[in-house]
Amino acid sequence: MPNKIFKKSQPKPSITLVPSLGLDVDDLVTDFKRNYSHRLGRDQNCRSPHYAYEALSLTVSDRLIERWKNTYNAYRDQDCRRAYYLSMEFLMGRTLSNAMLNLGISDAVHKAMHDVGLELEELLESEPDAGLGNGGLGRLAACFIDSCATLQLPVTGYGLRYEYGMFTQTIANGEQVEKPDHWLRYGNIWEIERSEYAYRIKFGGHTERHIDENGNVRVCWLDTHDILAIPYDTPVPGYQNGTVNTLRLWKAAATEEFDLQEFNAGDYAESVAAKNTAENITMVLYPNDANENGKALRLRQQYLLASASLQDVIAGWVRDHGRHFAHFAEKNCFQLNDTHPSIAVAELMRLLMDIHGLSWDAAWKITRNTMAYTNHTLLPEALERWSVGLFKQLLPRLMEIIFEINAHFLAEVSTHWPGDNERLKRMSLIEEGPQQYVRMAYLAIVGSYSVNGVAELHSKLLQQGLFRDFYELWPQKFNNKTNGVTPRRWLAACNPELAELLTETIGDGWITDLSELQKLKPFAEDKKFRKRWHTVQQEAKQRLIDFKKQELDVDLKVNALFDVQVKRIHEYKRQLLNVLHVIHLYDRIKRGDIANWTNRCVLIGGKAAPGYFMAKKIIKLINNVANVINHDPEVGDKLKLVFLPNYRVSAMEKICPGTDLSEQISTAGKEASGTGNMKFMMNGALTIGTLDGANIEIREEVGDDNFFLFGLTESQVEELRHHYDPVSMIENDVDLKRVLMLLECGHFSQFEPGIFDAVIASLKSPQDPWMTVADFRSFIDAQKQVEKAYKDQDRWTRMSILNCAGSGKFSTDRTINEYNQEIWKLTPVPISHP
Ligand SMILES: *Cc1c(COP(=O)(O)O)cnc(C)c1O
């Protein structure tokens, strides 16, 4: 084993004392050249920008690693309280440009690459995205760990190292085609494998009970099929502060004896082939956003993450404190990103009792004081439930523990509400019926000391609806933490021209204290400043056009309104409503209703879960409508519709600076928070949106005059459900009627009869959960207000400046400060670096 190289009794070898690496242009050039020619073995005949990217990344990474070790040692020496962010997804995107920014060497690297005759932009583009997440939830985890490092908080991210991340989306004949994303194909220079910290993960087998020497009942989990979890660490640098935290991702591997057993039986080749079963566990990210998936492989993934991460934390604890757990909860806490890692509640109980000999009560006290749970959705289809049968078969010991937690919990409920059997049934961790299920959200609530939603409205709805019984039992557990995004990636790095204008105008304090953007407000009244702002925005639009030029066969013009909706394709997000509006605009052009017209480019992008029939139909519809509109000479520059393929983090970095209008049009009460809305606002886009998720707080910050509001409120939506009649709404609105007519007569499906029948039927159904038709009129009217505002470019620019100025609240620095003050209670650890 790699960790047996140095015997404990020997003096430590002095191999770690290397002088720290310089950050000047000359230092960077020298190291870049050495990495390129010696470490990678390339020369001037190699044409691929990939190796130059790798050589530069190695150069930057070496500089992070010094700071990484300092940080690690500081945490250990100070024996500080620490938090662990457990998430099945970290949607990191690219690493290099962010590392350069946070190290403060962006300009020096730029010059260095110029000096060796390379185009930095081209190198940066050759880095693949780390697409280890579906959408908002995974990107939030990535923004969180950036803010934790910037705030110098001792927080480690724990996740899974999927061999294949989120699929690559291409479009063929208007339809989504998924291609596997083998992002590790050319290696990943940012990660370090640490096989010395591998752990064994058990599956299957059965349990046995015996009495130990002290007369206590002990449980053994036997005859299991074990695998190994191998950690891969990626550095997470704070913003120019010497802190480099860790993202530790687990890869599944076969144990050594796994093959040996079979080998002795004579099946060598088959036993080696069977390694795949183990390694398959972290092979692929499940591409379902906000949707539960009852597959055994997914449960294996969740348990691997929970068990490996907890074993790792406990091993570190035992190393530093011995096997005494009295103070464990004072020094450690775990934030569960949704219910995906919530089996950690039962696994911590198992490790403390079965491995470290604690009593039930002692273990439960620790568990309940270390776990904290974040809910991300109210959608019933996203609430995870595991069949008890599957659970028993795969994780028999954990199932026993969950049953026991439930027994204790239900006793507590009975004491609180004697004789209320309905409530017992409602609150049980086990859903009864023809099939029994484990309700993972309830396990997470019962096992945690904190439960939070991700925007004010969402947290309120959790307390009044989904988790009402639990809120009545433990009101003090519930709290809100409105999401954010990191201003380093989503403003400083992705929009350097705007960042420069901001810094020139109000100083650079905004990068680590985004509330400083308030100082921009008076400049909204400064004509010269508005002109500069407008120029910067137009240039960003041009860059977006240039970036997309090769891919798209449409001609976009910067003077048009750039109207953008990019996010996962989901019925609740209502890309359909957006399409209805586009068809309405097209209809107006065809009718000649074009007085005072505002040219508009509508850009829509996002991936559909491969098994989500309606979402895929919506993509097809967008492309078919685009095809008709963009090829109609009568329409010309008045209206363009474009589907942006393969939406991902690196695409959003180019899209949000070039956006005028941000579409946040979900059915009220369905979008927990949204974070795309925040990225757009920060970059000066105006929002058209419903009173949903964080839109409500965005509007509060920027003021009613600078936000295009439309649609039913959450309570109006719920009220209308009882008598929703979309067919008569269509009948009573001539514009909507014409739009439906165009759809129904096959205007956008001339050679594909009937392909949109299901879409049309969903719009006309009184059962339509998303009530798209109900918000049509109000949406069209709000879009008219948008056009009016855009006609007055000076007014638009003023509103744009005020949106950016009001976006301070939506920094994850603010969010993480709240998590820390109210849940984690960590002390920042300053790191000294020469
Ligand atoms: C920010 C982001 C999201 C979340 O967008 P919402 O509009 O909040 O759904 C999803 N995917 C990517 C790539 C993102 O950058």
Side-chain angles (χ1 to χ4, degrees), residues 91 135-136 139 490 566-567 573 647-649 652 664 671 674-676 679:
L91 190 48
R139 184 53 230 176
W490 296 114
V566 286
K567 47 182 75 245
K573 293 178 183 278
Y647 176 57
R648 62 200 187 283
V649 171
M652 184 54 158
Q664 307 300 335
E671 186 75 271
T675 51
K679 298 166 198 165

Side-chain angles (χ1 to χ4, degrees), residues 641-708:
L641 174 60
V642 174
F643 186 84
L644 302 173
N646 203 28
Y647 176 57
R648 62 200 187 283
V649 171
S650 61
M652 184 54 158
E653 288 170 8
K654 289 166 183 102
I655 293 166
C656 66
T659 295
D660 294 310
L661 183 67
S662 152
E663 299 267 354
Q664 307 300 335
I665 60 178
S666 52
T667 311
K670 299 300 170 191
E671 186 75 271
S673 161
T675 51
N677 47 5
M678 301 166 183
K679 298 166 198 165
F680 285 118
M681 180 197 199
M682 235 171 243
N683 284 275
L686 277 57
T687 305
I688 183 165
T690 48
L691 284 178
D692 200 15
N695 293 353
I696 298 172
E697 292 158 72
I698 285 178
R699 181 164 167 268
E700 258 164 38
E701 294 298 306
V702 78
D704 312 4
D705 295 345
N706 300 301
F707 186 103
F708 300 100

Side-chain angles (χ1 to χ4, degrees), residues 162 287 299 387 421 572 596 652 694 781:
Y162 303 106
L299 183 55
S387 109
N421 288 329
Y572 85 81
N596 277 317
M652 184 54 158
D781 292 344

